[in-house]
Amino acid sequence: MASSHSPDTLSPEARKAADALWEAEQAGVPCPPVRDQLPAGDVTAAYAVQRHNVERRLAQGRRLIGRKTGLTSPAVQRQLGVDQPDFGALLSDMTVPDGGTVPHRRLLQPKVEAEVALVLATDLPHPETTLADVLRAVDFALPALEIVDSRIVDWDIGLVDTVADNASSGLFVLGGTPVPLTAVDLRTVRMSLTRDGEEVSQGTGADCLDSPLNAAVWLASTLAAMGDPLRAGDVVLTGALGPMAAATPGSRFEATISGLGSVRVGFAPPAPDQKAEQQ
């Protein structure tokens, strides 16, 4: 992961924020917001924190396999007072197989959202990436579930918090049937997300920056301008098509996206000894 911010160049405040998020994940106990530890509204510092903790994970042997965009909903952007998305890293240990189950306590405060995933066939190296560039570069699309999580207590986050916290990334699930872009209009797809058979979220492709492809154009341009472009084989999670829903132990989710198919995941209930600990 290319970066002009080596661990040694982090400011003391950024290092403190990075350590707080890292320790929260390791201990399984959310930490207070980190926004007060960084200069007010300093997104650059927040991305430096994100890079530092991603590089820690890479040093442990994990592999960078793609990126995610967040804040693609205009309503969420207004809520946080921003006018563009953010991004985070997808690592090899963040994947869950379609129909798989997330172990109990694997995440701190999981929520689920449905989105379109793109898998690239070629690099996207240009800071002024165009829609045509993305259309040429995408190998296929898949339905996806992103299981977002926050290392910050009670999801008490602002923009700086979520950027520093790897864009509130947790895990993700990809559907298993690739669909070429020539076979689907991503702007008009319709999404339905159910929890235990009851619909908890719905939306369309247009709810993600007017099209998931627009999110991919923004992400590719932003990363290329930072000297860390999207590469062939990368997975791109383009952003939620509808509101996220809280995950509870024992619950099961399924998302159906028209033209792309469906994708499923479950959350394990606590083991008997864990139930006893909670009583």
Side-chain angles (χ1 to χ4, degrees):
M1 183 178 183
S3 173
S4 60
H5 298 263
S6 71
D8 292 337
T9 64
L10 276 183
S11 69
E13 296 80 11
R15 184 180 297 278
K16 183 177 179 182
D19 287 346
L21 292 167
W22 182 262
E23 291 163 8
E25 182 172 1
Q26 304 308 305
V29 179
C31 65
V34 298
R35 55 184 175 268
D36 294 334
Q37 299 175 23
L38 300 172
D42 192 339
V43 178
T44 299
Y47 275 119
V49 170
Q50 179 190 128
R51 282 191 296 269
H52 180 61
N53 281 342
V54 168
E55 288 165 356
R56 280 172 151 172
R57 295 179 177 92
L58 296 177
Q60 292 178 335
R62 303 170 193 179
R63 184 167 56 93
L64 183 67
I65 60 172
R67 306 297 177 109
K68 62 156 285 186
T69 54
L71 305 181
T72 54
S73 162
V76 176
Q77 289 184 4
R78 288 192 296 271
Q79 180 183 3
L80 294 183
V82 299
D83 60 0
Q84 65 178 11
D86 68 349
F87 68 84
L90 301 178
L91 302 176
S92 52
D93 64 337
M94 294 168 61
T95 61
V96 179
D98 187 11
T101 300
V102 178
H104 186 58
R105 292 183 177 172
R106 170 69 174 79
L107 300 174
L108 280 68
Q109 307 172 97
K111 299 184 180 186
V112 178
E113 54 191 33
E115 50 196 87
V116 173
L118 305 174
V119 179
L120 302 183
T122 60
D123 299 352
L124 284 168
H126 303 299
E128 293 83 25
T129 298
T130 67
L131 176 60
D133 293 330
V134 168
L135 290 171
R136 281 193 298 266
V138 171
D139 194 4
F140 53 84
L142 295 167
L145 292 170
E146 185 183 1
I147 307 167
V148 293
D149 195 20
S150 181
R151 272 54 64 175
I152 294 169
V153 67
D154 296 330
W155 279 89
D156 179 11
I157 61 172
L159 177 62
V160 166
D161 298 296
T162 189
V163 168
D165 193 21
N166 197 26
S168 301
S169 297
L171 305 170
F172 67 96
V173 191
L174 300 178
T177 304
V179 177
L181 293 187
T182 53
V184 62
D185 180 353
L186 294 184
R187 185 179 185 278
T188 62
V189 297
R190 303 195 66 84
M191 177 278 294
S192 173
L193 176 66
T194 63
R195 180 178 56 208
D196 299 328
E198 179 180 354
E199 187 175 70
V200 290
S201 180
Q202 61 177 304
T204 71
D207 292 319
C208 176
L209 288 186
D210 201 43
S211 169
L213 293 173
N214 292 337
V217 169
W218 175 85
L219 179 65
S221 298
T222 300
L223 289 171
M226 297 173 68
D228 193 16
L230 290 169
R231 302 292 187 186
D234 278 353
V235 175
V236 175
L237 297 182
T238 54
L241 303 184
M244 57 188 176
T248 54
S251 59
R252 295 200 66 82
F253 288 80
E254 180 172 2
T256 301
I257 301 177
S258 60
L260 293 179
S262 61
V263 58
R264 297 152 296 278
V265 75
F267 292 82
D273 58 333
Q274 293 172 324
K275 289 181 181 178
E277 290 175 9
Q278 294 172 359
Q279 293 176 351

